[in-house]
Amino acid sequence: MQTARAVQASTVLNLRDLGGIALGPDHRVRAGAVLRSGQLSGLDAAQDSRMSTLGIRTVVDLRTADERAAAPDRLPQGARLFVADVLGDNPGVAPARLRALLADPVAAERMLGGGKAAGLFADTYRQMVLSPGASAAYRAFVETVADDRARPVLFHCTAGKDRTGWAAALLLMVLGASRDVVRAEFLAVNPVVRVAFAPYVQDFLDAGGDPEIASAITEVRPRYLDTALDAMDERWGGLDGYVRDGLRIPEAVVERLRAGLVVPA
């Protein structure tokens, strides 16, 4: 099943172009218009000449204030920064604290041991759908992507898998992608993320950390996406209700989004 095209960038984690993803049998996402990634704190424009060719106009940062302060984005030349903090003052167990948890097996065991890791991570996905702060952030994200003048847009969190994963899922569903296509894209980041976190995971395991905890917090799992989708369905009766009543995105914005990003296959 078609997923986002990986873009080779040596100083940006998990960079992917959503262009080409199927929106039914006859349409695709416009190429080069919307990209996703991990944080840009390590971007080296001189080393990563590929980034300059993408023409990024807007970077949407989904991270918390603490994350942004600890690892500020380095923007591609000519890009403006737009902050859409999904987790706000309630970052929970992570995804905002991935590396901190991996650096402290004792704290990780206390918070996430005994099989709690996956459940607590799934709860974060539920929060990303139901909390007013997250809804405001995702509304701002969609409105930004719908603006022709803002594209190409690059959106990201820390690893580019959880907050970014739901942002990509939401965007694809609004554009008309099936849930099977959405799920394939959601899970497609795992190989890259595993490699990126491998040194931290190995240190965590060497220090006696639980492999299940490491796996649950550094990968995305079908359960996580299903938790978000279930929350959307239960609270708002599906995507249309979520977009209209949960995110409060005007229909005109949805129409602009589709006009700008949906192209013939």
Side-chain angles (χ1 to χ4, degrees):
M1 188 170 291
Q2 177 70 46
T3 58
R5 177 178 60 87
V7 179
Q8 297 306 313
S10 58
T11 63
V12 178
L13 171 65
N14 208 8
L15 181 62
R16 300 166 62 80
D17 181 356
L18 298 185
I21 292 180
L23 305 172
D26 301 321
H27 294 89
R28 298 287 186 272
V29 179
R30 181 184 299 277
V34 190
L35 298 94
R36 58 180 292 184
S37 74
Q39 65 190 34
L40 303 183
S41 59
L43 173 62
D44 184 332
Q47 181 178 335
D48 248 338
S49 58
R50 180 73 179 90
M51 285 294 294
S52 64
T53 68
L54 299 174
I56 301 298
R57 291 182 181 177
T58 309
V59 171
V60 179
D61 189 342
L62 304 174
R63 297 177 300 165
T64 65
D66 286 347
E67 290 172 288
R68 299 193 306 273
D73 274 348
R74 295 179 179 176
L75 298 179
Q77 185 174 4
R80 70 182 182 98
L81 178 65
F82 187 92
V83 173
D85 183 348
V86 171
L87 297 180
D89 296 329
N90 299 292
V93 293
R97 298 182 57 208
L98 282 178
R99 290 183 181 174
L101 287 168
L102 288 175
D104 190 342
V106 175
E109 180 63 31
R110 183 175 64 250
M111 295 176 63
L112 304 174
K116 290 186 295 187
L120 289 171
F121 242 72
D123 286 345
T124 299
Y125 275 76
R126 185 171 180 84
Q127 175 186 334
M128 290 194 292
V129 174
L130 299 180
S131 80
S135 294
Y138 284 120
R139 176 174 64 249
F141 160 69
V142 171
E143 290 175 339
T144 299
V145 177
D147 184 350
D148 292 342
R149 299 164 298 178
R151 297 192 301 267
V153 172
L154 171 61
F155 63 99
H156 75 88
C157 52
T158 295
K161 67 184 185 73
D162 297 301
R163 288 161 288 183
T164 297
W166 180 244
L170 167 62
L171 185 63
L172 290 171
M173 287 188 292
V174 171
L175 293 177
S178 70
R179 291 198 180 185
D180 286 343
V181 167
V182 167
R183 182 170 282 101
E185 170 59 22
F186 179 76
L187 296 173
V189 303
N190 271 335
V192 172
V193 171
R194 288 188 191 110
V195 171
F197 280 98
Y200 303 98
V201 169
Q202 191 58 56
D203 288 345
F204 178 80
L205 298 179
D206 290 345
D210 182 350
E212 166 58 19
I213 292 176
S215 171
I217 69 176
T218 59
E219 299 175 0
V220 291
R221 294 180 171 181
R223 175 183 177 182
Y224 301 163
L225 178 61
D226 289 342
T227 298
L229 292 172
D230 288 348
M232 180 181 76
D233 293 342
E234 292 163 8
R235 176 68 62 88
W236 288 291
L239 177 68
D240 291 346
Y242 176 49
V243 171
R244 182 185 64 246
D245 302 323
L247 300 180
R248 300 183 181 179
I249 297 173
E251 181 61 29
V253 172
V254 174
E255 291 174 358
R256 277 202 307 274
L257 184 74
R258 292 171 178 161
L261 293 180
V262 178
V263 297

